[in-house]
């Protein structure tokens, strides 16, 4: 069945249609492991709303730096980037101190990936905006209208399109980007 899909977008759209109430992701937080859930329908709806807003930045085939910490919002934003046809570059948000390891890594990734837009929320996005070179727009996830999913237009994607660039830690030098296509992810999901 996975082999029938051309991209992660097609796969999630299918899941949201045939099994909308099934849980797509569970995220556990805290010492008592508080559980949050996101169904396929909720994930699809949130991803479309994010993608509709991202599309205003002309991100199809362009890198987008995702600066959201782990959690369900990260997953919705990840798929929102896919739904916009963007190439996702996930990264931990930079620390407020420009000399910290996460801030130096952030600046090196920005220099290498040349993102079209920075996506995140709160203080992390404000810190990134302050550190990034002038002219890179920032999309605050808190400002997205979550009823905007109807404005979404599905991008034309295939299994050979780049879905994500995962950067190495950079512990022995500058972080290096590893390209993953939609097909790479779909193949991994089959096994």
């Amino acid at each position: 069945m996975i082999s029938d899909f051309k991209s992660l977008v097609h796969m999630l759209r299918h899941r949201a249609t045939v099994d909308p109430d099934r849980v797509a992701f569970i995220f556990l937080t805290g010492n008592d492991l508080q559980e949050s859930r996101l169904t396929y329908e909720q994930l699809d709806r949130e991803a479309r709303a994010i993608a509709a807003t991202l599309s205003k930045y002309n991100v199809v085939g362009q890198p987008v730096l995702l600066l959201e910490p782990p959690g369900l919002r990260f997953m919705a934003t990840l798929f929102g980037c896919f739904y916009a046809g963007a190439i996702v570059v996930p990264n931990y948000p930079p620390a407020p101190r420009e000399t910290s390891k996460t801030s130096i890594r952030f600046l090196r990734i920005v220099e290498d990936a040349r993102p079209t837009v920075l996506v995140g929320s709160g203080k992390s996005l404000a810190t990134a905006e302050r550190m990034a070179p002038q002219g890179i727009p920032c999309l605050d996830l808190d400002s997205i209208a979550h009823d905007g999913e109807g404005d979404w237009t599905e991008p034309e994607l295939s299994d050979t399109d780049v879905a994500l660039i995962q950067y190495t830690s950079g512990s022995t030098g500058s972080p290096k980007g590893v390209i993953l296509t939609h097909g790479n992810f779909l193949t991994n999901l089959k096994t």
Side-chain angles (χ1 to χ4, degrees):
M1 186 67 158
I2 294 284
S3 59
D4 296 339
F5 303 119
K6 297 184 289 184
S7 73
L8 293 167
V9 173
H10 298 110
M11 183 190 70
L12 179 54
R13 294 289 293 160
H14 173 78
R15 297 272 189 258
T17 301
V18 300
D19 211 356
D21 297 324
R22 186 172 178 193
V23 175
F25 291 103
I26 298 173
F27 190 72
L28 304 173
T29 55
N31 291 336
D32 58 347
L33 300 178
Q34 284 291 105
E35 189 176 283
S36 328
R37 294 169 177 253
L38 196 60
T39 66
Y40 284 117
E41 180 181 34
Q42 291 168 325
L43 180 59
D44 174 66
R45 191 174 52 248
E46 287 188 41
R48 285 185 286 130
I50 292 166
T53 303
L54 263 176
S55 295
K56 297 172 186 171
Y57 294 94
N58 299 315
V59 297
V60 175
Q62 299 299 315
V64 169
L65 195 59
L66 174 54
L67 299 167
E68 195 63 20
L72 296 180
R73 191 175 206 184
F74 174 89
M75 296 309 299
T77 307
L78 177 74
F79 275 92
C81 292
F82 294 152
Y83 272 43
I87 299 169
V88 185
V89 181
N91 191 45
Y92 283 105
R97 295 182 331 274
E98 292 184 26
T99 57
S100 72
K101 285 183 180 181
T102 59
S103 296
I104 292 168
R105 182 176 189 274
F106 164 75
L107 290 171
R108 287 183 176 156
I109 289 172
V110 167
E111 182 181 321
D112 187 64
R114 300 177 188 219
T116 303
V117 63
L118 306 178
V119 180
S121 61
K123 291 179 183 178
S124 297
L125 184 62
T127 299
E129 186 173 19
R130 182 177 49 79
M131 288 181 174
Q134 290 284 10
I136 301 176
C138 294
L139 174 59
D140 187 344
L141 294 169
D142 294 331
S143 69
I144 292 176
H146 289 282
D147 59 352
E149 71 269 9
D151 297 332
W152 175 67
T153 303
E154 187 171 341
E156 291 186 32
L157 293 171
S158 74
D159 61 344
T160 60
D161 285 314
V162 176
L164 187 136
I165 301 174
Q166 180 67 56
Y167 276 84
T168 61
S169 67
S171 58
T172 60
S174 290
K176 302 209 178 6
V178 177
I179 293 174
L180 299 166
T181 65
H182 284 273
N184 293 141
F185 281 107
L186 293 170
T187 298
N188 197 27
L189 290 171
K190 276 194 262 186
T191 56

